[in-house]
Amino acid sequence: MKKILLLGINARYSHSNLALLYLKRAIDDLDFDIHISEFTISEGEDKIFGTIYSFKPDILAVSVYIWNTLYIKSILKSIKSIYCEIKIVLGGPEVTYNSKDWIEEFNEIDYIITGGGEAAFRQIALDGFNSEEKIISKPNPHFSMIKFPYGDSDIKSIGNRYIYYESGRGCPFKCTYCLSAVNSQNVEFREIDQVICELDFFSFYNLKLIKFVDRVFNLKKDYYMIIWNEILKKFKGKNTTFHFEIFPDLLDDNDIDFLSKVPPGLFRFEIGVQSTKAKTLNEINRKGTWSAAMENIKKLSALKSIHLHTDIIAGLPHEDFNDFSKSFNNVFSLGAEHFQAGFLKILPGTAMMEKVKDYEIKYNPLPPYEIVENRWINSDDMLKLKLIGELVDLIHNSGKFFETELFMISIYKTPFDFYLRMSELFKKYDNAKHRRWEYQAEVLISMISRDYPDSTLKLIDYLRWDWCSVTKLNAFPDILKSELLVKAKKTAIQFFRKYSKKGIIHYGDYTFTQSELKRSIFFSPESDEFMKRKMKNLTALFLPDKRIIYFNPYDE
């Protein structure tokens, strides 16, 4: 019996490889010993080689994506040097549109599967992996005929990582930067009874995140509403979150009404806005309008129960630095919990690649093929935007500066102006220093001290509040310490002793232990503005479980 090793190299540990599971199911009735091994790009090559050598597969099938292309190229030659009889099969988007280049560069490759891989992989398996053709392309049957990829053993092997699932394949849109727009990508849905049955399967497990990878989930109302209702029925009260990519323009009032009844934490939406400039959206064939998207994203944000992730892309045609700042402010201001300012990638096979000369695009020829400059934004400004995008991750997306960010934006007038100014003072280090909360706080204090010195004390109060909200420590970092806080802590501990009996403190509706009190952190504002805006009383106690108790330590 021939052995097949399906190899996945993921971007991070939390990810899993859905494609490999589909391939395994496609040939599970054939006479092969099939094994899946997954790694991350941060793991050393020795670990992968050790797995290959110990399993001694006859066939090695590797899933190639933008994040692992360079990694895979670096190990291809070594694989056959340690196990010369092995046959190597590649598949995935990174080899589909330039497969001839891969074959010419690497003699070690025996086969490349292009496009949807299930039918093609089954065909070469039926041929005993002895096909004379090196580039294999075979149309898949309708998506409803593709086997459900998961079994009990697969769920157990994935553990706490993401579960990827698709109820439909293909995309109706033709965005010029996206591989989903290449050739004919008719949308094919699984039968709704199949989806219901597959959701039943998932409901038996304590899964953290099920990520629907449908390119646009909310295309067909009488289809997706059934799925949403089934999820609400089967997973309400569980700790599972469902992630969907949503096209906001397609949502209507009935959708919003339904979503208003979805409990917090059950749904997470990713919404790619990309730009708010009409000329740019038209040039990239991005359907819909900014005004329609804006109204529906506002409605979703107002629900406060669905975690929103919004995206824009820097480097799109007809959008200069000033235009991008407007798109940034427009989308950021909608209040999504996660905001990504990404960068255009010039992917092989896309219509954008054909426009490189017209748009005067320069880009890195190595994955992820990110833009360096174009006719509208030069390389210096693109680097500024790159750092701004990283700062958004550190400040906004981390959730560690919630109150501070709101205050800073109010001072600097717009989100973009705040992040642009921060980028001018922020220094990146080779070590982890720039990723430390304390360093980011230092930069913010430096900004205010230079630009608005009268607001420095207010900022420090906001920083202290955010520190109390996120830290697991019971003390402030040096940059936030003050005699007032030391005094507030001593006074507060004495205050709560009055409510302690046998080591248990009862204060109002709150009950906690003396041990919890010792591990708590206390906040007392030094600025009148923070007192008026945020504080219900003079001091706040942040318990280790992040319950907040407001109290006046001078009450008798």
Side-chain angles (χ1 to χ4, degrees):
M1 180 186 295
K2 287 186 176 181
K3 293 182 175 182
I4 299 177
L5 178 62
L6 301 171
L7 179 65
I9 302 174
N10 304 321
R12 59 189 66 176
Y13 175 76
S14 58
H15 297 175
S16 58
N17 193 307
L18 179 60
L20 300 183
L21 294 170
Y22 276 123
L23 295 182
K24 184 179 179 182
R25 289 289 175 272
I27 62 170
D28 61 1
D29 60 329
L30 304 181
D31 192 22
F32 291 101
D33 179 11
I34 310 168
H35 182 75
I36 293 178
S37 283
E38 295 189 61
F39 302 87
T40 68
I41 54 176
S42 62
E43 293 181 277
E45 295 176 7
D46 288 348
K47 191 172 182 180
I48 293 177
F49 294 150
T51 298
I52 295 172
Y53 189 76
S54 63
F55 187 69
K56 292 183 172 53
D58 299 287
I59 297 96
L60 176 69
V62 189
S63 193
V64 190
Y65 297 93
I66 195 169
W67 59 81
N68 65 19
T69 297
L70 296 179
Y71 193 106
I72 289 169
K73 283 185 174 183
S74 75
I75 66 174
L76 273 176
K77 293 184 183 296
S78 301
I79 289 172
K80 283 207 171 179
S81 70
I82 64 168
Y83 200 59
C84 61
E85 300 301 319
I86 197 171
K87 288 192 174 181
I88 297 176
V89 184
L90 302 185
E94 273 296 289
V95 297
T96 288
Y97 302 101
N98 53 1
S99 50
K100 290 182 180 178
D101 295 338
W102 279 78
I103 294 292
E104 290 175 1
E105 184 177 355
F106 296 98
N107 293 326
E108 294 79 13
I109 300 171
D110 293 282
Y111 302 108
I112 288 181
I113 292 176
T114 65
E118 290 89 352
F121 191 66
R122 181 175 177 83
Q123 184 59 57
I124 58 173
L126 287 169
D127 292 340
F129 293 92
N130 291 314
S131 173
E132 295 182 0
E133 297 291 329
K134 280 189 169 256
I135 300 174
I136 312 295
S137 180
K138 182 178 176 63
N140 270 336
H142 189 277
F143 185 47
S144 62
M145 302 299 293
I146 300 293
K147 292 181 182 179
F148 178 58
Y150 292 101
D152 180 69
S153 61
D154 303 308
I155 297 295
K156 290 178 180 177
S157 67
I158 290 172
N160 290 324
R161 291 180 290 155
Y162 298 168
I163 298 291
Y164 293 99
Y165 175 77
E166 50 188 345
S167 61
R169 280 188 181 176
C171 183
F173 303 131
K174 300 293 180 183
C175 302
T176 59
Y177 54 82
C178 183
L179 286 173
S180 294
V182 178
N183 299 322
S184 176
Q185 293 264 344
N186 293 327
V187 180
E188 297 179 346
F189 295 98
R190 295 181 79 72
E191 297 294 334
I192 195 63
D193 289 343
Q194 287 178 294
V195 177
I196 292 172
C197 181
E198 289 157 6
L199 288 172
D200 278 335
F201 171 83
F202 289 136
S203 70
F204 286 103
Y205 301 91
N206 184 26
L207 303 175
K208 181 179 180 181
L209 178 71
I210 298 175
K211 187 170 184 178
F212 276 66
V213 292
D214 305 46
R215 299 306 300 159
V216 182
F217 178 76
N218 61 320
L219 278 177
K220 191 176 176 183
K221 189 175 184 65
D222 59 350
Y223 187 82
Y224 70 78
M225 283 303 298
I226 294 174
I227 296 174
W228 277 351
N229 273 291
E230 285 294 319
I231 290 172
L232 191 59
K233 181 170 66 177
K234 292 178 169 62
F235 290 87
K236 187 176 182 179
K238 295 189 174 184
N239 294 320
T240 303
T241 296
F242 286 83
H243 177 109
F244 307 96
E245 291 191 33
I246 297 294
F247 191 69
D249 305 51
L250 298 178
L251 296 172
D252 59 27
D253 289 340
N254 290 332
D255 293 325
I256 301 297
D257 182 63
F258 171 84
L259 293 169
S260 69
K261 301 177 177 65
V262 172
L266 185 59
F267 284 1
R268 190 173 81 179
F269 287 175
E270 182 174 348
I271 300 172
V273 178
Q274 319 314 8
S275 173
T276 65
K277 186 175 181 178
K279 187 173 183 180
T280 295
L281 293 173
N282 182 65
E283 184 72 11
I284 62 175
N285 288 336
R286 184 73 180 173
K287 300 299 181 183
T289 64
W290 161 237
S291 58
M294 175 184 65
E295 289 303 318
N296 280 331
I297 296 172
K298 280 183 177 179
K299 292 175 183 177
L300 291 172
S301 182
L303 297 179
K304 302 296 183 185
S305 57
I306 297 174
H307 186 281
L308 297 182
H309 177 144
T310 53
D311 299 337
I312 59 173
I313 298 176
L316 293 174
H318 300 294
E319 189 168 71
D320 61 20
F321 190 85
N322 185 55
D323 293 328
F324 180 80
S325 73
K326 292 177 182 177
S327 289
F328 185 104
N329 287 330
N330 287 337
V331 180
F332 186 98
S333 298
L334 296 178
E337 288 82 0
H338 189 103
F339 173 72
Q340 182 175 350
F343 288 79
L344 181 65
K345 295 172 177 59
I346 314 301
L347 302 178
T350 62
M352 186 64 70
M353 174 66 84
E354 298 173 3
K355 290 283 191 176
V356 165
K357 288 186 178 179
D358 292 346
Y359 296 154
E360 299 174 22
I361 292 174
K362 293 182 181 178
Y363 68 99
N364 189 333
L366 300 176
Y369 314 111
E370 197 163 87
I371 191 168
V372 174
E373 66 178 11
N374 63 16
R375 189 196 305 173
W376 299 275
I377 302 182
N378 62 41
S379 58
D380 288 340
D381 283 343
M382 203 71 81
L383 286 174
K384 291 179 185 177
L385 297 181
K386 184 76 172 175
L387 181 52
I388 287 172
E390 293 178 19
L391 289 175
V392 169
D393 271 341
L394 292 174
I395 302 298
H396 181 80
N397 295 338
S398 71
K400 296 179 179 180
F401 292 88
F402 183 80
E403 294 290 347
T404 299
E405 184 188 48
L406 291 174
F407 172 71
M408 294 297 279
I409 290 172
S410 73
I411 293 290
Y412 286 88
K413 307 308 180 188
T414 74
F416 187 84
D417 286 339
F418 158 55
Y419 278 107
L420 178 61
R421 178 59 173 144
M422 188 176 182
S423 71
E424 293 168 356
L425 300 176
F426 190 87
K427 293 182 175 63
K428 292 184 66 174
Y429 294 87
D430 293 334
N431 55 35
K433 178 180 177 180
H434 75 273
R435 294 195 166 273
R436 294 176 64 237
W437 192 98
E438 294 89 330
Y439 173 67
Q440 295 152 31
E442 285 178 14
V443 175
L444 294 171
I445 293 171
S446 175
M447 284 174 61
I448 284 289
S449 299
R450 297 182 188 201
D451 300 340
Y452 303 95
D454 291 344
S455 295
T456 303
L457 192 58
K458 300 173 192 174
L459 169 63
I460 291 174
D461 269 344
Y462 284 100
L463 286 168
R464 287 170 177 160
W465 182 270
D466 283 328
W467 175 261
C468 291
S469 300
V470 301
T471 188
K472 295 180 180 179
L473 305 175
N474 64 349
F476 289 93
D478 289 342
I479 57 171
L480 300 182
K481 287 180 177 178
S482 76
E483 292 183 8
L484 176 67
L485 293 174
V486 173
K487 181 180 178 182
K489 181 175 182 178
K490 290 180 180 178
T491 304
I493 289 175
Q494 290 176 353
F495 171 79
F496 282 111
R497 282 176 182 166
K498 298 184 298 184
Y499 300 91
S500 177
K501 187 174 182 180
K502 295 182 179 180
I504 305 297
I505 299 167
H506 300 278
Y507 179 75
D509 296 330
Y510 297 94
T511 300
F512 50 97
T513 67
Q514 283 281 5
S515 174
E516 288 176 306
L517 181 64
K518 290 179 181 179
R519 292 183 286 116
S520 298
I521 189 167
F522 297 87
F523 172 86
S524 186
E526 293 194 67
S527 63
D528 291 338
E529 179 180 307
F530 195 95
M531 175 72 75
K532 292 174 182 177
R533 179 184 177 277
K534 187 73 181 175
M535 298 298 291
K536 299 176 183 178
N537 225 312
L538 293 177
T539 305
L541 164 66
F542 287 76
L543 289 164
D545 60 8
K546 294 310 169 191
R547 284 180 293 165
I548 304 175
I549 302 174
Y550 297 93
F551 64 99
N552 185 344
Y554 303 103
D555 276 347
E556 295 298 332

